Amino acid sequence: MAKKKNVLDFIRMKKEGEQVAWVTAYDFPMASFAEQAEMDMILVGDSLGMVVLGYDGTVPVTMEDCISHSKAVRRGAPNTWIVGDMPFGSYQVSDEKAVENAVRFLKEADVDCVKLEGGKRVASCIRSITDAGILVCGHIGLTPQSSGQMGGFRATGRDVGTAKNLIEDALDVQEAGAYAILVEAIPPELTEFLAKKLDIPVYSIGAGAPCDGQLLICGDMLGMFQAFTPKFVKKYANIAEDAINGFKEYVTDVKEGKFPTDDYVYHVKDSKEAFEKLFKEFE
Ligand code: KIV
């Protein structure tokens, strides 16, 4: 089993041009599969609201949801770097509240760091959490918690005006003390510029290859999330199709009396006569 990575490994990997592969996971089995696949890190994203809880977006997700899912992920992946995603409302109210929630994440769920969305508007919050001794991963570009303000889940940074704002945001996030930054749904040209400009690792989700690593949502890449598939997702499996086909076959087997057959039952150990006698007692 590979040794658990730490922040110094991620800094070294950037320097040496070694790509980081990460994925979201929300429960024990998925985390355990990711660890067995030697994933460099796992994000317990608040996308759990859409992927596993069935909400339309991430806004309803609570700290309790994130902590409970992160605990399961830690149990499934004890040797993998885990990023806990700060849900909407857990860091917007005040920097003090943000530190309190980040501390909860580490103490209760044993994550290695936290991630939060935004650039200059969350810089003081990143600074406060970092000053409390907690590693922070920034997240700019398409930020799902504020997708309402952006007019939906849309790519950004495609024109010079929004690209300039994103460059300033990225510099503010680095300056505030973040150890890494995730850029979502921005053009690869801008991603490449940021990866070269910033000293901290720059990771992409839907932002192209020229940076320090890639993240995908497990529900998208494994074909479990059926509501929609973003353009940037490559599907590596089709779990929904396999599950539906498996369930259909089971329904048919049950209805046609083909399941369970003798192979799937526990037969009596005592004699047939002893059981007949027992049953008679209750007739
Ligand atoms: O919650 C999540 O999975 C995320 C990704 C969209 C980056 O924040």
Side-chain angles (χ1 to χ4, degrees):
M1 180 181 295
K3 176 184 144 289
K4 184 180 168 187
K5 294 191 173 61
N6 64 41
V7 66
L8 299 179
D9 292 305
F10 298 119
I11 292 163
R12 176 190 54 75
M13 287 167 87
K14 177 178 175 94
K15 275 201 189 115
E16 294 176 1
E18 188 186 339
Q19 290 288 305
V20 165
W22 52 319
V23 73
T24 63
Y26 316 104
D27 57 20
F28 178 91
M30 198 56 76
S32 147
F33 300 153
E35 182 158 298
Q36 289 174 63
E38 298 190 8
M39 205 64 74
D40 293 303
M41 48 189 193
I42 292 175
L43 168 67
V44 188
D46 64 349
S47 50
L48 73 89
M50 298 168 80
V51 181
V52 298
L53 300 180
Y55 296 130
D56 285 341
T58 56
V59 168
V61 175
T62 63
M63 264 312 282
E64 274 58 40
D65 292 330
C66 289
I67 287 194
S68 149
H69 284 269
S70 299
K71 282 179 167 175
V73 168
R74 173 53 81 209
R75 287 192 288 270
N79 292 306
T80 305
W81 181 264
I82 295 179
V83 183
D85 207 9
M86 303 277 288
F88 182 69
S90 69
Y91 60 96
Q92 286 86 351
V93 177
S94 69
D95 291 354
E96 290 69 29
K97 192 78 198 152
V99 174
E100 212 174 277
N101 282 322
V103 167
R104 275 194 70 190
F105 241 135
L106 265 72
K107 281 176 94 79
E108 296 176 37
D110 192 22
V111 300
D112 296 289
C113 68
V114 296
K115 173 175 89 56
L116 53 91
E117 298 181 6
K120 53 182 84 57
R121 68 188 164 80
V122 294
S124 75
C125 175
I126 294 176
R127 170 55 60 207
S128 301
I129 298 175
T130 305
D131 283 349
I134 297 170
L135 289 162
V136 176
C137 178
H139 177 177
I140 61 165
L142 194 177
T143 43
Q145 290 173 12
S146 45
S147 59
Q149 282 180 327
M150 302 174 87
F153 295 108
R154 354 171 54 91
T156 180
R158 302 175 82 184
D159 57 84
V160 169
T162 53
K164 180 171 183 281
N165 290 339
L166 287 169
I167 294 168
E168 287 168 2
D169 275 342
L171 290 168
D172 285 346
V173 166
Q174 172 171 272
E175 176 65 27
Y179 83 97
I181 187 165
L182 176 70
V183 294
E184 177 164 359
I186 67 169
E189 294 82 356
L190 181 54
T191 306
E192 183 171 21
F193 174 80
L194 291 173
K196 286 184 178 152
K197 175 83 187 156
L198 298 187
D199 298 323
I200 59 176
V202 174
Y203 302 124
S204 148
I205 175 163
C211 60
D212 304 306
Q214 297 294 323
L215 167 68
L216 280 178
I217 303 224
C218 64
D220 291 336
M221 69 173 298
L222 296 181
M224 296 186 325
F225 183 66
Q226 295 183 293
F228 62 90
T229 307
K231 170 185 159 72
F232 58 77
V233 171
K234 178 172 175 186
K235 274 198 188 176
Y236 289 85
N238 205 330
I239 289 184
E241 203 175 289
D242 284 353
I244 294 165
N245 287 339
F247 284 157
K248 276 187 178 162
E249 212 177 305
Y250 166 72
V251 169
T252 306
D253 275 3
V254 170
K255 298 210 180 277
E256 293 180 358
K258 292 181 182 156
F259 178 83
T261 54
D262 239 22
D263 290 339
Y264 301 99
V265 296
Y266 303 97
H267 280 295
V268 297
K269 280 199 204 150
D270 285 338
S271 69
K272 201 172 152 216
E273 291 71 32
F275 269 85
E276 278 170 2
K277 192 166 163 253
L278 170 72
F279 296 153
K280 270 224 155 58
E281 280 174 33
F282 290 91
E283 271 174 9

